[in-house]
Amino acid sequence: MTLTSPLHRRSKLGGTIALATVTVLLASAATPAQAASPSPAETWSERAVVSYDALQDHLYLGAAGHQLYKLNTGDEVNPYSYLWEYREASQATADLQGVRGIGGAYANVTRQRIANFELYYNVREGGRAGYESYLPAPLGTGGDVFYDDNSIIGLTDVRQFRKTGDPAYLEKAEHAFDIVVRGWNTDATLECPGGMDWVDRPDNADRGANITGLAAQLAAHLYEQTGQADYLTWSKKLYNWNNKCLKTSTGLYANSINDAGEVNPTLWTYNSGAMIATATILYRATDDAKYLQQAKAAARASLKYWTAENRLQQQPAIFNAFYFRDLLLLDSVSHDPSYRAAVEQYAQLIWDTNRDPETGLFHFQPSGGGDYNPSRPAATLDQSGVIQIFAILAWDRRDLGNIS
C-alpha cells in the first residue's frame, strides 16, 4: 500500500459515485453564490492534487522502497528511478507546498523528499563528491555526477530555504554549487573556451546550454541570498558564455558545443527558461535594468517561437515545466498576461488530451512530449512535470517571486 497525498480526493468507483451524489445534493440546495464555479487557481490546485495522487498510487514505492519512486509503470531493470526523476517528484511536492490553503499539508513530506536527496550522494576516491545519477551502494550501483542534476538539486534547496528560512537548506544549495562549478571547462584551446561540461568524467566532450544556464541561475540565487560577490561573478560569467557561444537568436539556445567545435543546434524550452530566470534574478539582485530588458526580450521572442507550429506541445513536459516556472518568475517582477496565458493553454491541452482518466496518469510520446500514447508506460518524470505546471498555476501571484 502506498501513501497518497495529504489531500487525497480520488477514490475507487463506489466512492466516486457517492461523492458525486453528495455534490449533486449540495448543489441543488445551494444559493447561486454558493454554486459558483471554482476559480482558475482552485481548478489548477485540484488538478495538481489528483495528479499527485496518481503519482503516489502508481509510481511511489513507499517505506519498503525507501520512499523513492519507480522510473515508470513498465517493467524496469532498476528498482528505483534515476536522480533526475526523483528530484522532479520532490520538486512537484515542494510546488504543492507553495499552494496557499493546502500547502501546509505537504510540508513534512517535502522535507522528507529533500532529505532523501542524500541517498544519491557519494564521495568518491580522492574526495570528489556529488549527487550521482543513480543510487550508490548499498541501494544501487551508483552513476555519474551530471552537473545539470546537481544544479537542480541546488535550486530545490534554494526554494526550500526561501519557504522555511532554515539556513541548512541554503548551505546545501551552496554545497551543490561547489560541486557544479567543477564543471567549468578551462581548456583555452577549444572553440569558444569556457562553458560547463555536462558530466564529471574524463571523456566528457560536450559543453551544454542546459547546465551552463542552470548553473548561472543557481549562482544568481545564491548571490541574492548571501551577497557574496563570487556568486555574482560566476552567474554573469556563465550567463554571458551561453549568450556568446550558444545563442541562436533572442531567447533561443543551441543544445551544446563539443570539443571539436561542432554545435548541436537542437532547441529546448528549458534552455530558454534558465536564461530568462537568470536575468530576472540578476535584475532583482543588482537593480541593473539591462537584465530585466534582456529577460523580457528573451521571453517575448521565445514565446513567439515556441507557441508557433505546435512546437510547445512537442517539447518534453518536464522541459516545459522548467520554462513555464521561469516565465512566471519573470512575471512576478514585470507582469505580462501572455506568460500565464501560454502556460494555461498548454496545461489545459495536456489535461484534455494526454491524461488517462481511469488512472490519472499522463502519457506522452517516447520523447516525453507530444500526443497521447497509451502504449508508452507512464513516467515519473512526465507526471512530475505536469504536477509542477498545475501547482505553479495554483500559486497566488504574490508568491511567484519564490520560484527557483
Side-chain angles (χ1 to χ4, degrees):
M1 179 178 180
T2 59
L3 296 175
T4 57
S5 80
L7 297 176
H8 184 73
R9 299 182 184 181
R10 292 188 301 107
S11 58
K12 301 303 181 184
L13 184 58
T16 302
I17 294 172
L19 178 59
T21 303
V22 172
T23 302
V24 170
L25 290 173
L26 290 175
S28 66
T31 66
Q34 290 171 326
S37 299
S39 69
E42 290 171 332
T43 297
W44 293 119
S45 176
E46 173 70 17
R47 291 176 177 181
V49 168
V50 299
S51 301
Y52 181 81
D53 287 348
L55 175 74
Q56 297 301 97
D57 287 346
H58 297 282
L59 291 157
Y60 179 60
L61 292 169
H66 304 279
Q67 299 176 317
L68 296 168
Y69 287 86
K70 297 192 293 184
L71 187 65
N72 57 47
T73 55
D75 293 328
E76 292 301 324
V77 174
N78 293 324
Y80 309 107
S81 78
Y82 295 102
L83 173 62
W84 188 21
E85 287 79 10
Y86 181 77
R87 184 269 180 181
E88 298 312 329
S90 302
Q91 185 63 48
T93 312
D95 288 341
L96 278 165
Q97 184 189 18
V99 179
R100 294 195 181 196
I102 69 170
Y106 293 89
N108 287 337
V109 70
T110 298
R111 284 193 290 270
Q112 179 268 312
R113 295 278 182 274
I114 294 174
N116 259 9
F117 288 159
E118 302 310 309
L119 295 177
Y120 289 86
Y121 185 80
N122 194 21
V123 180
R124 295 196 170 185
E125 187 176 351
R128 207 163 178 86
Y131 295 92
E132 297 190 354
S133 59
Y134 194 69
L135 295 150
L139 296 182
T141 57
D144 292 315
V145 172
F146 287 86
Y147 291 122
D148 50 349
D149 285 350
N150 282 257
S151 289
I152 58 178
I153 291 290
L155 291 175
T156 297
D157 289 331
V158 168
R159 163 76 186 117
Q160 191 68 355
F161 170 70
R162 290 180 67 95
K163 179 67 177 177
T164 67
D166 185 341
Y169 291 111
L170 184 58
E171 292 173 7
K172 286 179 176 293
E174 291 187 277
H175 180 55
F177 186 75
D178 289 342
I179 296 167
V180 169
V181 79
R182 298 197 314 247
W184 179 259
N185 193 298
T186 59
D187 187 346
T189 67
L190 296 178
E191 182 77 19
C192 213
M196 291 291 296
D197 289 340
W198 184 39
V199 60
D200 186 10
R201 210 167 57 199
D203 62 348
N204 177 86
D206 290 297
R207 293 163 287 152
N210 64 338
I211 172 52
T212 306
L214 291 167
Q217 184 177 346
L218 177 57
H221 273 303
L222 291 174
Y223 173 67
E224 185 177 42
Q225 298 305 322
T226 69
Q228 293 182 27
D230 281 353
Y231 290 129
L232 178 61
T233 299
W234 269 111
S235 185
K236 289 180 176 180
K237 184 176 182 180
L238 294 156
Y239 177 78
N240 291 337
W241 185 87
N242 253 2
N243 280 322
K244 176 183 177 183
C245 297
L246 291 177
K247 185 167 76 171
T248 61
S249 62
T250 302
L252 299 175
Y253 296 84
N255 180 73
S256 59
I257 184 171
N258 66 19
D259 288 353
E262 300 164 334
V263 173
N264 177 340
T266 308
L267 303 175
W268 302 110
T269 45
Y270 75 150
N271 290 337
S272 298
M275 294 294 280
I276 291 168
T278 299
T280 300
I281 303 160
L282 286 174
Y283 166 70
R284 286 195 320 200
T286 67
D287 280 331
D288 189 336
K290 76 178 181 185
Y291 290 115
L292 179 59
Q293 293 167 359
Q294 290 170 7
K296 291 166 65 175
R300 285 194 302 269
S302 62
L303 265 179
K304 182 178 180 180
Y305 176 83
W306 289 118
T307 56
E309 301 178 13
N310 205 34
R311 294 188 183 108
L312 198 57
Q313 194 220 2
Q314 301 308 313
Q315 287 282 297
I318 190 61
F319 288 3
N320 287 340
F322 277 73
Y323 180 52
F324 293 150
R325 69 194 307 119
D326 296 332
L327 286 175
L328 293 177
L329 176 64
L330 172 58
D331 193 60
S332 72
V333 299
S334 182
H335 181 54
D336 185 330
S338 69
Y339 304 155
R340 184 180 178 91
V343 183
E344 287 189 324
Q345 183 177 13
Y346 173 84
Q348 186 64 52
L349 175 66
I350 60 173
W351 176 265
D352 290 340
T353 64
N354 289 92
R355 180 175 181 267
D356 180 349
E358 293 296 319
T359 64
L361 294 172
F362 289 78
H363 295 264
F364 297 91
Q365 297 296 312
S367 65
D371 295 335
Y372 181 67
N373 182 356
S375 66
R376 178 176 177 263
T380 293
L381 191 64
D382 303 342
Q383 192 78 12
S384 299
V386 169
I387 297 164
Q388 291 174 32
I389 293 167
F390 294 165
I392 291 293
L393 283 171
W395 278 26
D396 189 291
R397 188 172 182 276
R398 292 169 291 179
D399 299 328
L400 294 178
N402 288 325
I403 289 172
S404 66

